């Protein structure tokens, strides 16, 4: 909480004073937040979310890619940490219980990624998670979490994107019968988010 309050306090300074040549020294507060987001307890990561929301609002209002580029690396590391937090236990059966704190956390992650995706570019995020799916010996829980992150940014993809989306659709349409039911559900949700692209 101390790091979160500190980052919130410094945020106007490092957003408005940073340049691509020399980010303001207070930007290091974001590194502390990423360290917290990487902690094994997802509730600790959630404490930092307010800062990321405020950062996305500030950068959205600036509407200047040169500012977004300064924070791109931080947001990429944040998304990587959230991807790990969103993974279910290997022995999890059935759907996620919507009453659980973990389901609420994943909903908040979804909202946060939608807010910050323009900083890292949705296409890049989508392609990175697709790379996770193609990794050798990828577990089902990592597969589902990668699909979940892809679902968060899928609606923002350019309708003319022809490199990754067709491969993702083909993979979803050819899911093996014995794949985990949560993977099936998340895949169907991706199809819903890609409705504009599909049409």
């Amino acid at each position: 909480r101390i790091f979160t309050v500190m980052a919130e306090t410094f945020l106007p300074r490092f957003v408005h004073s940073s340049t691509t040549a020399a980010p303001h020294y207070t930007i290091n507060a974001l590194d502390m937040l990423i360290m917290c987001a990487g902690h094994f307890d997802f509730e600790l990561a959630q404490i930092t979310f307010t800062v990321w929301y405020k950062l996305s609002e500030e950068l959205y209002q600036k509407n200047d890619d040169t500012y977004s580029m300064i924070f791109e690396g931080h947001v990429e590391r944040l998304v990587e940490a959230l991807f790990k937090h969103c993974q279910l236990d290997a022995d999890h059966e059935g759907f996620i219980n919507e009453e659980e704190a973990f389901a609420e956390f994943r909903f908040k992650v979804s909202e946060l990624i939608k807010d910050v995706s323009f900083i890292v570019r949705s296409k890049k995020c989508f392609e990175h998670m697709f790379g996770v799916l193609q990794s050798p010996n990828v577990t089902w829980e990592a597969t589902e979490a990668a699909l979940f992150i892809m679902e968060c940014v899928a609606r923002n993809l350019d309708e003319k994107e022809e490199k990754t989306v067709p491969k993702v659709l083909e993979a979803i349409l050819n899911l093996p019968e014995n794949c985990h039911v949560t993977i099936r559900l998340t895949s169907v949700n991706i199809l819903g988010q890609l409705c504009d692209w599909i049409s």
Side-chain angles (χ1 to χ4, degrees):
R1 287 190 184 279
I2 290 172
F3 293 157
T4 299
V5 172
M6 182 175 70
E8 280 187 273
T9 305
F10 285 156
L11 193 141
R13 178 68 59 86
F14 62 67
V15 168
H16 299 289
S17 303
S18 293
T19 65
T20 49
H24 196 269
Y25 72 91
T26 53
I27 199 174
N28 293 333
L30 293 181
D31 293 320
M32 295 177 181
L33 292 192
I34 292 167
M35 179 183 69
C36 296
H39 190 270
F40 67 86
D41 186 347
F42 68 81
E43 291 180 341
L44 195 147
Q46 191 172 312
I47 294 171
T48 72
F49 283 12
T50 54
V51 175
W52 301 108
Y53 278 122
K54 289 180 179 179
L55 175 64
S56 70
E57 286 173 5
E58 291 276 351
L59 294 178
Y60 187 78
Q61 287 177 2
K62 277 190 170 294
N63 194 24
D64 186 339
D65 287 345
T66 56
Y67 278 96
S68 295
M69 285 169 57
I70 296 166
F71 301 95
E72 187 175 345
H74 293 93
V75 176
E76 284 176 354
R77 287 157 58 204
L78 171 68
V79 171
E80 191 66 32
L82 296 177
F83 156 69
K84 291 174 182 172
H85 277 302
C86 286
Q87 294 183 30
L88 294 159
D89 293 331
D91 59 354
H92 181 88
E93 295 181 2
F95 298 115
I96 299 171
N97 184 348
E98 296 298 325
E99 311 263 319
E100 292 178 4
F102 183 63
E104 183 182 348
F105 170 75
R106 290 211 347 165
F107 173 77
K108 289 179 178 176
V109 167
S110 172
E111 295 300 302
L112 179 60
I113 289 178
K114 287 171 185 173
D115 267 24
V116 301
S117 61
F118 74 93
I119 302 171
V120 291
R121 297 184 302 279
S122 297
K123 182 176 184 286
K124 185 177 178 182
C125 183
F126 194 85
E127 289 175 348
H128 177 65
M129 287 297 137
F130 184 62
V132 171
L133 299 180
Q134 296 178 306
S135 304
N137 304 317
V138 63
T139 62
W140 78 262
E141 57 271 23
T143 297
E144 193 279 331
L147 289 168
F148 174 75
I149 302 295
M150 291 165 75
E151 175 196 338
C152 297
V153 299
R155 192 173 287 273
N156 298 335
L157 297 175
D158 189 330
E159 294 171 19
K160 295 182 176 66
E161 202 286 329
E162 296 181 353
K163 180 183 174 185
T164 308
V165 174
K167 294 177 183 176
V168 172
L169 290 176
E170 184 179 1
I172 288 174
L173 295 172
N174 289 291
L175 284 172
E177 289 185 17
N178 63 344
C179 81
H180 198 282
V181 67
T182 312
I183 291 178
R184 288 190 176 281
L185 175 61
T186 307
S187 297
V188 169
N189 289 338
I190 288 179
L191 294 179
Q193 294 300 317
L194 289 172
C195 60
D196 291 337
W197 189 97
I198 293 168
S199 67

